[in-house]
Each structure stands twice: as C-alpha cells, then as structure tokens.
Amino acid sequence: MDGSIARPRPLLALGLRLATAATLATMAMLVKLAGERGVHLAELVFWRQAITLVCVVVLLAALGKLATVRTTRFGAHVRRAAYGITGMFFVYGAVILLPLAEATAISFTAPFFAVLLSVVLFRETVGRYRWGAVVLGFAGVLVLTQPGFGLGGAGLVDPFGAAIALIAAFLVALISFQIQDLNTTEAPWSIVFWFVALTTPLTALALPFVIAPHPLEVWGIIVAMALCGALAQILLTTSLRFGSAGVILLMDYTSLLWATYYGWQVFDRTPPASLWLGAPLIIAAGLLIAWRERQLARQKARPAPLGEPDAG
C-alpha cells in the first residue's frame, strides 16, 4: 500500500471499524486482567508498544515494504506520538479503574469532543443539532456516573476513574483528527511504525522502576494484549484512511456489547441499571452527530441557495 491520498470506500471503512471495535474490546479485557494480576500500567504500555514494533518491522520486512515508512512529515508523527502515548495511558488507566462496560460507555463521548475540537481547531460553525447532541451525550454520562450520589456506595462509578475516561475520550478524538490528516499523505504502515518507533524508547525509561517477574500465564495475557493492540492499531488507521472519522466512529458502539459480555464472563460483573439508562443517551447523541455530519456533507456537495444559514 503506497502513501497516496486515500480513496473513500465507506463499506470497507465500516467493516474495518467493526473489527477494530471487537479487537479493542478484547485488548481492554486483557489490560484489565493483567492489571488485576499485578502488572503495572507503565509496563503494560511498554510491552504493548515494543511487541507492536517488532510485529510491524518483521511484517514489513517480510512483505518488502520497509520503504513505505519513509516520511517527509516527521514533525507530524512526533506530535501524533506524543498525544497517542498520553492517550494510551489514560485509556488503559480508565479500563483498570472502571468496570469494562462503564469505561467503554464513557469512551463513546469521543464524537462530542470531536465537535468541540472542530470549533476550536477549525473554527467550524456548529448549530443546534450538534450542540444538542453534545448536551444529550454528557447528560448520559451524568446518568451513567451519578456523581455526588452516595460516594462509596456499591455499584456507583468511581469519579476519578470517570474523569480519567473522559480525558481519554478527548484524546481519542484529537488523535483521530491527527491520523486522518496523516492519512492524506502517509501509508497506514508508516503511521503505525512511527508511532511505536517513537514511543517504545520513551516508555522504556520507566521500565526499570515498574517491571516485575510474572508467571507464564500472565506473560501470555501481556503478549495477547500487545498482539490485539497491534492488530487494532493497523485496523483503526486503515479505517480512517477509507472513511470519515465522524461516521465510522459509530461502529465503536458495538464494543459495548463485547465489554458487557467480557465483564460478565471474565470478571463476573453484571452492569448496573445506570449503564442501560446512560449508555443509550450517549449512543443516541453520537448517532445524531453522525446524521448531521452526513446532512452537512451533502449540503456542501451541492451549491447552497444564497444566504442559506447553517443549522448544524
């Protein structure tokens, strides 16, 4: 695959994102499992990046595509790596601190942050539909987390963990814009390679302070987690190459099904009623944003009548 500008292929992008959602949910389950087995967060992040780097280099060498990682946008890769590794710590931290289903549901706020970022970064005009979706989505977060109600009570979401999850969602939205921009000139392999190549040495600095001996079973969990992460990274980057971030992010909602299943089967935890009340609000808000983005894209594709306002 070369570094030419991506050609839109929406069905392929949606299929890739569905596979991404399942793979990321599996990785999150393994991250939580490793955390419960005593593996430090920083060690998990290091092995995730180091094993991905080895997989990418070996695969590129086997395919004779090492030349595809050449880039003239090294600075953009550095910025993506800085935000990406920070986001990874927050994403993994949220998974460790919160039940899987709740952490996954809060991660669905990424499209709302994407709307806010489009205003701040691109001076985009946002109208009542998308602002309404943002308000509805964060209302869903309040229903889900129930802040201030019986702190310390059974079944309520840890407020610190919820804050970590919200920061993670913001960084995911920001990184999606970065990846989509890189995809206009870079091959997916190049984006993945530079991310892991730049961050693996950085995360290795913490390794002497956090690494510990593990039984064979735990090493198996760590390796499986890293392999899922490598696969998800490639699938995610490729999906953003062939489809719009605002639309294909909808497929991420299917990860709630996987997270709920893993929470039940692996961690013996059934989700509370607040999840079934809050998550639909968050998902509905995301669907409203996607619908409005599609409407606006159609409007831009045809000449608008003189003086027609944007009701986005």
Side-chain angles (χ1 to χ4, degrees), residues 294-312:
R294 183 165 182 164
Q295 294 294 107
L296 292 175
R298 287 178 175 176
Q299 289 177 15
K300 290 176 182 177
R302 64 176 187 268
L306 188 61
E308 180 179 302
D310 174 21

Side-chain angles (χ1 to χ4, degrees), residues 227-241:
L227 291 175
C228 282
L231 177 60
Q233 189 74 47
I234 294 167
L235 290 170
L236 181 149
T237 303
T238 307
S239 71
L240 288 169
R241 182 176 179 82

Side-chain angles (χ1 to χ4, degrees), residues 71-81 182 198:
T71 182
T72 58
R73 301 184 63 191
F74 186 72
H77 284 289
V78 170
R79 289 190 295 274
R80 183 269 186 272
L182 282 168
L198 291 168

